[in-house]
Amino acid sequence: MRALPFELSEYRGRQEEFLSQMPQDSVVIIPNNPKSVRSNDTHYRYRANSYVLYLCGWEEPDSVFTAVFLDGEWKTSLFVRPRDTHSEIWEGRRIGPEGAEKGWPIDQSFPIEDAKEHILNAMSLGSKPSIIQGLDNRIDDIVLNQDPDKGPVIELSDIQDPRNILDSMRTIKSESEIGIMQQAANIASSAHVKAMEKTFPSIGEWQIQAIIEGHFIHSESQWSYPSIVGGGENATILHYSSNSETIGEGDLVLVDAGCEVHGYASDITRTWPVSGKFTEAQKEIYNLVLEAEIAGIEACKAGSPWRSMHEASSAVLARGLVELGILDCSESEALGKNLDGPYRNYFMHGTGHLLGLDVHDVGGGRKGDKNPGPVLKPGMVVTVEPGLYFASWRDDVEIPERYAGIGIRIEDDVLITEEGPIVLSSGCPKSIIEIESIVGKSR
Ligand SMILES: [Mn+2]
């Protein structure tokens, strides 16, 4: 049984900060993720829900965290799988309610079977459910299909969502969370260096993946998202994940791979030549992306608006694309009034995202998010990851012959502090000189 990564008092502090912002007539309901079938009776490796990890560190499936306000104070409960010798023989030992009450930051614990009665009872006493829906249908159904004998059927408009409060709390990392995120960044940095060292011309993308993920497992970690290993033109596919081709001798490989430690993610991208030497054309694009990445990192200042890193990276890319003759217009036309100019033909994604218990962490800032992104504050961890992509097959935009087939992205994990940005992934080299000296060193 793994020990909790944080002191009980740290979890209690999070719960207190969260619940003090909740209306006292709520019953807070945060289900854990259910197990997920892979095939027939085998399951995907279980990953607990990030909100549950954040509030109480519970890692077993079939569980739900609740809180109700009773006799002048919030009382937290954790519903868990009960002890069961037969199941434990097959599936592994369970902590059970008695163990949960002893070692976890909660007031009381009960078998998961009791969750329904507990929730309905609180609702019948007038508490409005504040639930993260969509995690576990079985728990959603308790709230949505109430037992008419137990109390009034809840109005849908009375169901609250506690995520607004939790999400903004989760964006600010404590010292101990930052320590864990530094470990995750260190492991991923070493994995990238190992992969560079063992790269050779015509290596298979899957072989690089194996080196990277082998290092994660060796370090008692695991990937935080499926590794992207794209050789040559595959680097221009933003979510390439089949990792199934060999990489041509003169080609670059783009590796976007990170791991997690106690649920906290790292997320690093590096691009290197499998031969160990960049061509002149590759160097031109690489140095432009690197300059844009460094400008993005420098813009990660406490108090700056979320968009500042995207603006900084975009300005560098737009100027460079004009200077290299890829765009035939002025710098400001290339950039566009709303950062929507033709530089976006070659840089289609955002410059970064929040990082934490989820690799694309909660708190806003991503395309499609309701929250356009927070003002940068000390304790936030973000990624900075500009790129340029010239897919040779595209016929909707001009793809210059010289750069056709090149895809480059460089991504680091950056902690915001009052004293300026700290690059957690600084152990992963990114200059052309460093990369050329490492690639193929121990093939
Ligand atoms: Mn990323």
Side-chain angles (χ1 to χ4, degrees):
M1 231 168 278
R2 282 203 340 211
L4 286 169
F6 304 103
E7 301 283 340
L8 293 182
S9 58
E10 177 155 354
Y11 292 104
R12 291 289 194 175
R14 294 173 190 173
Q15 292 171 13
E16 217 166 285
E17 187 183 341
F18 162 49
L19 294 170
S20 70
Q21 298 173 68
M22 290 297 298
Q24 293 178 352
D25 64 346
S26 322
V27 48
V28 174
I29 306 163
I30 303 186
N32 217 334
N33 294 334
K35 289 200 287 189
S36 181
V37 172
R38 182 173 187 277
S39 83
N40 193 16
D41 58 352
T42 32
H43 294 85
Y44 286 101
R45 185 191 169 110
Y46 185 69
R47 166 56 157 79
N49 183 268
S50 298
Y51 292 103
V52 175
L53 290 178
Y54 181 72
L55 286 171
C56 66
W58 188 257
E59 293 188 275
E60 289 187 8
D62 298 317
S63 51
V64 53
F65 172 94
T66 69
V68 284
F69 194 80
L70 266 183
D71 302 328
E73 57 180 5
W74 285 98
K75 211 163 176 80
T76 57
S77 302
L78 189 62
F79 295 84
V80 305
R81 300 183 305 189
R83 299 292 310 277
D84 172 4
T85 304
H86 180 77
S87 299
E88 290 184 49
I89 288 170
W90 285 91
E91 296 164 15
R93 302 301 304 276
R94 294 177 175 184
I95 296 160
E98 306 77 16
E101 271 183 12
K102 278 199 203 102
W104 271 258
I106 37 137
D107 297 326
Q108 48 189 5
S109 181
F110 307 100
I112 183 70
E113 290 75 17
D114 298 354
K116 181 172 182 174
E117 199 188 326
H118 175 87
I119 291 167
L120 290 180
N121 191 39
M123 285 168 65
S124 73
L125 292 173
S127 294
K128 291 175 184 153
S130 180
I131 178 172
I132 303 182
Q133 292 189 68
L135 295 178
D136 188 335
N137 294 335
R138 298 167 299 182
I139 308 297
D140 291 353
D141 284 349
I142 295 173
V143 170
L144 297 171
N145 311 320
Q146 292 169 81
D147 186 343
D149 299 336
K150 280 278 176 188
V153 173
I154 192 90
E155 298 287 337
L156 283 181
S157 59
D158 276 343
I159 300 179
Q160 308 294 320
D161 187 335
R163 277 180 294 190
N164 288 345
I165 298 168
L166 286 170
D167 289 359
S168 77
M169 284 176 59
R170 279 177 53 186
T171 62
I172 309 292
K173 274 70 183 178
S174 68
E175 287 294 325
S176 38
E177 286 178 297
I178 291 164
I180 288 173
M181 292 191 72
Q182 180 68 69
Q183 288 176 36
N186 291 347
I187 294 169
S189 296
S190 305
H192 279 258
V193 171
K194 281 199 159 39
M196 287 179 198
E197 288 173 347
K198 293 190 173 138
T199 294
F200 54 88
S202 304
I203 190 172
E205 292 167 344
W206 65 92
Q207 292 174 301
I208 292 179
Q209 179 186 359
I211 298 162
I212 297 254
E213 293 180 10
H215 184 73
F216 291 167
I217 295 169
H218 190 86
S219 310
E220 293 186 273
S221 175
Q222 55 184 309
W223 52 256
S224 52
Y225 55 95
S227 308
I228 296 172
V229 182
E233 188 100 29
N234 292 339
T236 67
I237 308 292
L238 301 178
H239 287 163
Y240 180 75
S241 63
S242 62
N243 303 346
S244 57
E245 294 187 28
T246 54
I247 306 171
E249 287 192 15
D251 283 343
L252 300 172
V253 60
L254 182 156
V255 178
D256 185 342
C259 60
E260 64 178 36
V261 175
H262 297 303
Y264 288 82
S266 54
D267 182 2
I268 298 178
T269 307
R270 289 292 184 268
T271 309
W272 63 85
V274 292
S275 69
K277 279 272 166 222
F278 286 87
T279 66
E280 285 309 309
Q282 289 166 351
K283 272 187 192 173
E284 288 161 15
I285 303 300
Y286 189 92
N287 280 327
L288 177 54
V289 173
L290 183 57
E291 193 191 333
E293 202 238 5
I294 291 168
I297 292 171
E298 283 169 357
C300 287
K301 294 200 178 85
S304 294
W306 177 253
R307 277 172 72 83
S308 40
M309 64 174 163
H310 186 54
E311 285 166 358
S313 288
S314 293
V316 171
L317 293 178
R319 192 203 66 218
L321 288 166
V322 172
E323 280 173 5
L324 290 173
I326 297 168
L327 289 176
D328 183 17
C329 59
S330 72
E331 273 177 49
S332 65
E333 281 167 343
L335 193 58
K337 280 204 180 68
N338 301 308
L339 303 183
D340 55 358
Y343 84 105
R344 294 295 277 170
N345 293 342
Y346 312 106
F347 173 43
M348 313 79 175
H349 53 79
T351 295
H353 51 85
L354 289 154
L355 186 69
L357 281 165
D358 294 308
V359 62
H360 296 147
D361 210 20
V362 295
R366 299 195 77 223
K367 226 176 167 179
D369 279 345
K370 275 182 250 151
N371 178 343
V375 170
L376 298 179
K377 293 197 193 92
M380 285 182 178
V381 179
V382 301
T383 68
V384 179
E385 51 178 310
L388 286 172
Y389 312 91
F390 302 94
S392 63
W393 49 267
R394 282 184 70 180
D395 49 15
D396 57 330
V397 298
E398 188 93 37
I399 299 293
E401 185 74 39
R402 179 174 174 78
Y403 305 114
I406 292 180
I408 292 173
R409 176 165 67 254
I410 306 170
E411 174 178 31
D412 280 303
D413 303 342
V414 178
L415 169 67
I416 314 291
T417 78
E418 290 290 4
E419 291 76 39
I422 294 176
V423 180
L424 300 179
S425 47
S426 61
C428 195
K430 59 184 173 185
S431 73
I432 285 183
I433 287 189
E434 288 171 294
I435 287 177
E436 287 189 338
S437 74
I438 296 171
V439 173
K441 211 174 79 181
S442 58
R443 48 179 288 195

